Amino acid sequence: IWPATEPGGAAAAILGVTCHKLGLKQQAVHYLEAAHTALGAALPALALHDWCRNRLMERSYEEVASETGRYLAQDPHHAAIAILHAQALQELGHIEEAIARLSALPSAEGKDGDARARQLARLFLRDGRPEEALATLTTIDPGAGSVADRIDRQLIEADALLALGKPADAAKIIAD
């Protein structure tokens, strides 16, 4: 059931998140953009997260960096938004700024902490710092997270080992 009139603000944000969860990408983007227009910096974190993920897929990196930066000015320790901000900065070539943003987050346990560590390790690799990438990955329990998260961690670790000139060790990681 779709509303008879165009919703704004929080209602649009809720509809946007619902459409996103239902796989209705065009409707999700439409409602999240309406919410963004109405709420601006007050856009709820969940709606902003979904809106930014859509924008990252569309390669709108400057827009994502701007919006997440504005949100983080109000809530600098929001891990999920900081990770999206770092992804946008990475795509724009601002590696040091992305590393600084994620390094400034307090250590977190669980899903957000693991996602932060994986993103930070990727950034260290891109910056030519494989030792720091490996050190960052040690904060993640190798058996924790989804299968995709565990595979992602293994691939990052293998890339770091290859960068250190240890192809045999990298092959062992991939084989496990």
Side-chain angles (χ1 to χ4, degrees):
I1 297 174
W2 300 108
T5 60
E6 193 67 29
I14 292 167
L15 279 170
V17 170
T18 302
C19 289
H20 178 73
K21 290 181 187 279
L22 293 173
L24 304 170
K25 183 181 178 201
Q26 287 180 332
Q27 291 90 343
V29 169
H30 171 76
Y31 287 119
L32 290 172
E33 284 179 345
H36 181 263
T37 300
L39 299 172
L43 187 62
L46 180 58
L48 178 62
H49 186 269
D50 285 348
W51 182 84
C52 287
R53 296 213 21 121
N54 285 325
R55 287 293 184 248
L56 284 172
M57 287 188 283
E58 296 169 359
R59 300 180 188 273
S60 300
Y61 306 124
E62 288 179 9
E63 193 174 7
V64 172
S66 173
E67 294 304 321
T68 53
R70 191 179 341 227
Y71 186 92
L72 290 168
Q74 303 298 317
D75 184 3
H77 301 298
H78 195 289
I81 300 299
I83 291 166
L84 289 170
H85 186 71
Q87 287 173 339
L89 291 173
Q90 176 183 350
E91 294 299 333
L92 292 169
H94 304 294
I95 304 302
E96 286 300 322
E97 189 178 344
I99 289 171
R101 171 60 75 184
L102 291 180
S103 296
L105 288 176
S107 294
E109 304 255 336
K111 184 179 174 182
D112 282 344
D114 291 353
R116 172 192 167 268
R118 285 192 314 274
Q119 183 64 25
L120 192 53
R122 276 190 212 90
L123 290 165
F124 284 136
L125 274 176
R126 185 155 176 197
D127 199 38
R129 298 157 49 183
E131 297 91 357
E132 290 178 74
L134 287 172
T136 300
L137 290 175
T138 63
T139 65
I140 302 173
D141 176 2
S146 69
V147 171
D149 291 343
R150 291 192 308 268
I151 290 171
D152 188 32
R153 182 194 178 285
Q154 287 175 313
L155 291 173
I156 297 167
E157 185 176 0
D159 284 345
L161 290 167
L162 285 172
L164 290 170
K166 299 180 178 180
D169 291 342
K172 281 186 359 187
I173 295 293
I174 299 297
D176 286 343

